[in-house]
Amino acid sequence: MYSDAELLHFITTEDPAEMEELFSAAREIRAGHYGKDVYFRGLIEFTNYCKNDCFYCGIRGSNKNVKRYRLSAEEILNCCRMGDLLGYKTFVLQGGEDPYFTDDRIVEIVQLIRKEYPDHAITLSIGEKSRQSYEAYFEAGANRYLLRHETANDDHYKKMHPEAMKLSERKECLYILKEIGYQVGAGFMVGSPFQTPECLLEDLRFLEDLKPHMAGIGPFIPQADTPFAHFRQGSLNQTLRMVALTRLLLPDALIPATTALGTIDPKGREKGLLSGANVVMPNLSPKAVRKLYALYDNKICTGDEAAECRLCMEGRIRGYGFEPKMVRGDHPSLQLVAMS
Ligand code: SAH
C-alpha cells in the first residue's frame, strides 16, 4: 500500500506539519482498534547473565563491570504475586540468555506461575532457542514471546553482533514462534550505529511480512561499557515516526511506548502513545536488582517500587486522555477466538 519512496520520506522527514500529520493518522488508526485504552504489562527482569555479546547491550557477556544477578523461582513468583495484587494480568519474564535457566528450569517456572494464575498471560523474552525449547515453554503455559529482530538488514545486523549471531536464525525463531501459536513480538532499535533510513525501511517491510502481534520499538541508547559507548543515541522524533509508521502498517498490533523512549525524553512514553502506541510495561522487578539490568545508561524508574511505577504510569496516561487498562490485552485476532 505504501511505496518505498513514501515510507522513506516519512522515515526521514523533520517537517513539523508532516510529522503531526503522520502521528495523527496513527492515533486515529489506534483509536479505531483500541479507543483510548492503554494495556499494562508487568515486566520482571529475572537475570542479567548473558552468553551473547551484542555490541550495543550493557549486559553483554564480556562486560566485566556488571554485577550479575539471577532471581530464584520463588523470587520470580513473588514478583508475580506483587503484580497480581497491583492488578496486572500479564507477566513478562525477560532476561539475558542465561545458561543457568535450562529448559527444565524455565518450564518449571512457567508451570508454577500458570498453576497460581490460570488466567494471566505469561510472556517470555529470553532470546533465541530451539523449536523444541519454544514448544516446551508453550506446553508449560507460556502464551507470548518477545524477540526483537533488532534490524532486518543483514549487513547492519553483522555490524551490531558477533559473528556467531545470524539474522537469518533470529528471523527463523520468530516464524517458528508464530507457528507454535505464541503471540509474537518483533521489533528494532532506532538510531543504532550504522543504521540508514534504508535499514528502517527494511524493518518495516519485515514487520509487514512477519505480521507479528506486537512490535517493540525504542531508541538506541549508548551504554558506557560497550563497544558502542561513544555512538549517539537514537532521536526522539525518528523513534516516534517509526512507531507511527508501524501503526499504519500493522493497524491492530500491540505497540509499547518503551522504557527507552521514556529515558531519552521525560515525556517520551506519553509521546509514544500519541504516535500510535497502546501498551506500557512498568517494572515489577525487585528494587534491589533494578539498577543491575542496565541494557543502556540512565534507564528510568530504577529507584521505584512496583506500586509506584504503576501509579506513576497511570497518572501520566490519564493526563493525556488515555485510559489505563489492567487487562490481559490479547491481540484482537485472539480475543475473537476466545469469544467464539
Ligand atoms: N535476551 C533477550 C532480551 C534482550 S533485552 C533477547 O535476546 O531478546 C531487550 C531489548 O533491549 C533488546 O531486544 C534490544 O532491542 C534492547 N536493547 C539492548 N541494548 C540496548 C541499548 N543499548 N539501547 C536501547 N535498547 C537496547
Side-chain angles (χ1 to χ4, degrees), residues 63-123:
N63 183 0
K64 296 285 176 280
N65 296 331
V66 188
K67 190 171 155 222
R68 304 284 171 175
Y69 75 91
R70 55 173 71 97
L71 303 184
S72 66
E74 191 55 27
E75 286 171 319
I76 296 171
L77 268 171
N78 281 336
C79 292
C80 295
R81 289 171 186 141
M82 170 60 75
D84 178 61
L85 284 175
L86 291 169
Y88 287 97
K89 299 287 185 286
T90 295
F91 305 128
V92 182
L93 271 58
Q94 188 179 84
E97 291 199 17
D98 179 354
Y100 169 85
F101 286 101
T102 56
D103 286 353
D104 285 351
R105 287 197 167 106
I106 294 291
V107 162
E108 192 197 336
I109 290 163
V110 172
Q111 283 172 340
L112 286 169
I113 300 173
R114 180 51 71 226
K115 204 167 139 218
E116 221 169 295
Y117 300 103
D119 300 327
H120 286 51
I122 303 175
T123 306

Side-chain angles (χ1 to χ4, degrees), residues 56-57 94-97 125-127 146-148 150 170 189 219-221 293 295-296:
Y56 45 84
C57 185
Q94 188 179 84
E97 291 199 17
S125 179
I126 53 175
L146 305 180
L147 185 77
R148 290 188 178 176
E150 314 296 1
R170 203 157 176 96
M189 285 177 286
F220 160 75
I221 305 173
Y293 198 77
L295 309 176
Y296 46 80

Side-chain angles (χ1 to χ4, degrees), residues 47 49-50 52 54-59 93-98 124-128 145-151 160-161 165 170 185 187-190 192-193 216-223 226 228 233-234 260-261 293-297:
T47 173
Y49 283 85
C50 192
N52 278 341
C54 308
F55 300 155
Y56 45 84
C57 185
I59 64 167
L93 271 58
Q94 188 179 84
E97 291 199 17
D98 179 354
L124 295 176
S125 179
I126 53 175
E128 295 173 40
Y145 206 100
L146 305 180
L147 185 77
R148 290 188 178 176
H149 62 279
E150 314 296 1
T151 173
M160 299 219 287
H161 300 93
M165 293 179 71
R170 203 157 176 96
F188 53 94
M189 285 177 286
V190 178
S192 56
I217 298 157
F220 160 75
I221 305 173
Q223 202 283 337
T226 64
F228 287 171
Q233 70 182 27
L261 201 42
Y293 198 77
L295 309 176
Y296 46 80
D297 290 333

Side-chain angles (χ1 to χ4, degrees), residues 148-160:
R148 290 188 178 176
H149 62 279
E150 314 296 1
T151 173
N153 178 280
D154 216 30
D155 287 331
H156 186 214
Y157 193 91
K158 285 185 187 136
K159 289 181 182 155
M160 299 219 287

Side-chain angles (χ1 to χ4, degrees), residues 35-56:
K36 293 276 183 194
D37 294 356
V38 176
Y39 296 152
F40 276 54
R41 325 290 203 198
L43 179 64
I44 303 166
E45 299 155 335
F46 70 98
T47 173
N48 72 352
Y49 283 85
C50 192
K51 70 178 168 63
N52 278 341
D53 219 14
C54 308
F55 300 155
Y56 45 84

Side-chain angles (χ1 to χ4, degrees), residues 234-251:
S235 95
L236 172 70
N237 281 339
Q238 190 165 50
T239 307
L240 297 175
R241 292 195 300 271
M242 295 313 295
V243 167
L245 288 167
T246 300
R247 172 61 66 202
L248 261 50
L249 296 175
L250 303 175

